[in-house]
């Protein structure tokens, strides 16, 4: 089995909509995510978390605000990229807005680990 990192991307104005949700809005917003997690079953290794306040750091060690619009992640474990991709069909992040995207990256195993 291979592992895949799914990163969620959304423009800043989309993320502003989620800054101060009520407890009821959070519960309601998580329902489609929980349905997706149930669909994935044990192939979803880590549901992940939202990501905020991303920083970019170069070799000089200085930080600046990231402009990559990464707003969350999940980790899947499947046989191949096609299976990982199929698990993303109907994903709530992709249904949220037309300008939302996901990226799927295969984790490359390190020798000896």
């Amino acid at each position: 089995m291979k592992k895949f990192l799914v990163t969620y991307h959304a423009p800043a104005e989309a993320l502003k909509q989620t800054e101060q949700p009520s407890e009821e809005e959070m519960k309601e917003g998580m329902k489609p995510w929980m349905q997706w997690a149930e669909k994935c079953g044990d192939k979803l290794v880590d549901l992940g978390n939202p990501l905020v306040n991303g920083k970019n750091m170069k070799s000089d060690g200085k930080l600046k605000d990231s402009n990559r619009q990464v707003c969350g992640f999940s980790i899947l474990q499947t046989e191949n990229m096609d299976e990982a991709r199929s698990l993303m069909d109907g994903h709530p992040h992709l249904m949220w807005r037309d300008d939302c995207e996901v990226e799927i990256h295969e984790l490359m195993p390190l020798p000896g680990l």
Side-chain angles (χ1 to χ4, degrees):
M1 296 284 266
K2 298 177 179 183
K3 287 186 179 178
F4 297 88
L5 173 69
V6 178
T7 56
Y8 303 105
H9 304 264
E13 63 270 9
L15 299 177
K16 286 197 184 292
Q17 296 174 350
T18 65
E19 282 183 350
Q20 304 241 340
S22 68
E23 188 173 332
E24 183 60 34
E25 288 170 325
M26 281 197 315
K27 284 181 184 178
E28 200 58 35
M30 286 304 297
K31 284 181 182 178
W33 284 81
M34 294 299 101
Q35 291 168 348
W36 174 72
E38 189 174 313
K39 171 185 128 176
C40 291
D42 62 0
K43 292 178 180 165
L44 180 62
V45 175
D46 187 341
L47 180 60
N49 287 88
L51 301 173
V52 296
N53 302 322
K55 300 294 181 190
N56 176 281
M57 185 174 92
K58 304 246 180 195
S59 60
D60 64 5
K62 293 180 182 172
L63 294 177
K64 67 176 186 174
D65 290 343
S66 174
N67 63 359
R68 299 195 194 255
Q69 302 177 331
V70 180
C71 61
F73 77 95
S74 296
I75 299 176
L76 300 172
Q77 186 166 357
T78 68
E79 291 294 328
N80 53 50
M81 177 63 81
D82 289 338
E83 186 178 10
R85 197 225 55 80
S86 72
L87 290 173
M88 300 308 295
D89 286 342
H91 190 281
H93 184 75
L94 295 172
M95 302 295 112
W96 181 27
R97 292 172 45 135
D98 287 343
D99 52 0
C100 290
E101 302 175 342
V102 300
E103 289 186 2
I104 306 169
H105 298 265
E106 183 176 340
L107 279 67
M108 196 168 89
L110 294 173
L113 294 180

